Amino acid sequence: QLVAYEVKRMKAEEGNKQKILRHIKELAEKLYKNENPYPAVTMHKVQKPTEGCHLRLHQRPFPRLDEGTVQWIIDQATAKLHTAPPAVRAEKKCMVPSGPPIAAILERNGNALANSARRLEVVRNCISYVFENKMLEAKKLFPAVLRAMKGRAARHCLTQELHLHVQQNRAVLDHQQFDFVIRMMNCCLQDCTAMDEHGIAAALLPLVTAFCRKLSPGITQFAYSCVQEHV
């Protein structure tokens, strides 16, 4: 129904936060009513007597209840319950038109997709520059790469690109390359969530035991020694 009827309204609301929030509240109410169709039964609360009320003077006696009237009220309520329809809401079936083509909605998300593609391109280019020893170019792109690591796609892209370089036997790095790779890995792991534990973090495990640098003859430092503090 949203796609069919609300697209024009959503386009008109773009840029107006108050209208968008009002629209979201309306949707939330509809969804809530759909999940909770029956209103909660209100319970009549009997008030407790206040402290020290029995010490008061001029206490009014409790009125005598008429047995016949009480029974009549009970009978009335019982009769109503018997004649009440079963409390099941009849489902209303309706045909919803297909609405505007999906392309119209995708146009709005086009910029986001383009931005995402650009971020991945920046990550790939930066890694290429690092392994080609074009450190000046890598430095220029580096802040953008660290920002891109907030997105899951960019983190996934990093693991894929590094994996390709390991396969090409380019795992032994010089000091500057090692520093760049470690900083990217640390940033990637820092932005990982619990959802990424068996994806991104698991994909980095074989990489951190592959990338290394020679500190002196016979002494090699592997990447895991610099990233092992992450949860």
Side-chain angles (χ1 to χ4, degrees):
Q1 281 177 329
L2 273 178
V3 172
Y5 300 126
E6 304 286 323
V7 172
K8 281 183 185 174
R9 180 181 168 184
M10 284 155 88
K11 279 186 178 173
E13 284 173 359
E14 275 178 5
N16 189 329
K17 283 188 180 177
Q18 285 181 327
K19 281 187 178 176
I20 291 170
L21 279 172
R22 192 165 69 237
H23 194 182
I24 290 169
K25 277 181 185 170
E26 285 171 17
L27 284 177
E29 279 174 21
K30 280 183 191 172
L31 290 169
Y32 183 80
K33 280 177 185 169
N34 190 55
E35 295 296 318
N36 305 279
Y38 307 115
V41 179
T42 51
M43 300 296 287
H44 295 292
K45 289 182 182 176
V46 180
Q47 288 183 332
K48 286 184 177 179
T50 55
E51 283 182 31
C53 66
H54 60 285
L55 302 172
R56 281 192 205 139
L57 299 170
H58 313 300
Q59 281 193 26
R60 285 162 60 189
F62 191 80
R64 186 175 177 78
L65 297 179
D66 178 38
E67 195 179 335
T69 308
V70 172
Q71 189 58 50
W72 179 79
I73 292 168
I74 292 170
D75 292 342
Q76 288 278 96
T78 311
K80 265 188 191 171
L81 281 175
H82 285 311
T83 55
V88 177
R89 194 172 59 162
E91 251 185 57
K92 286 182 185 173
K93 291 184 180 177
C94 62
M95 285 294 291
V96 177
S98 59
I102 295 294
I105 297 161
L106 288 179
E107 274 172 23
R108 299 168 66 217
N109 298 334
N111 289 340
L113 292 170
N115 283 342
S116 179
R118 271 199 295 275
R119 281 197 201 106
L120 300 189
E121 195 59 35
V122 166
V123 172
R124 289 192 191 100
N125 289 343
C126 186
I127 292 170
S128 296
Y129 290 146
V130 168
F131 283 92
E132 288 163 16
N133 259 323
K134 295 178 180 174
M135 291 307 169
L136 200 62
E137 276 84 355
K139 271 181 187 171
K140 285 177 192 170
L141 293 182
F142 205 65
V145 170
L146 297 188
R147 279 198 303 275
M149 286 299 134
K150 299 274 180 212
R152 198 162 181 214
R155 298 198 290 270
H156 188 61
C157 176
L158 175 76
T159 60
Q160 284 181 319
E161 289 297 307
L162 292 177
H163 184 68
L164 289 174
H165 288 288
V166 169
Q167 285 180 322
Q168 293 165 12
N169 291 329
R170 297 166 79 181
V172 181
L173 311 172
D174 67 27
H175 295 302
Q176 235 184 336
Q177 288 174 321
F178 189 80
D179 182 50
F180 269 101
V181 170
I182 291 300
R183 283 170 71 190
M184 283 192 273
M185 283 179 168
N186 269 323
C187 190
C188 176
L189 286 167
Q190 182 183 315
D191 289 314
C192 276
T193 61
M195 285 169 66
D196 298 322
E197 189 177 332
H198 304 293
I200 311 291
L204 276 176
L205 270 179
L207 300 174
V208 296
T209 55
F211 286 110
C212 60
R213 64 173 166 179
K214 301 281 184 198
L215 293 178
S216 63
I219 296 175
T220 305
Q221 182 188 16
F222 283 90
Y224 66 80
S225 63
C226 303
V227 300
Q228 60 193 9
E229 297 303 315
H230 293 277
V231 179

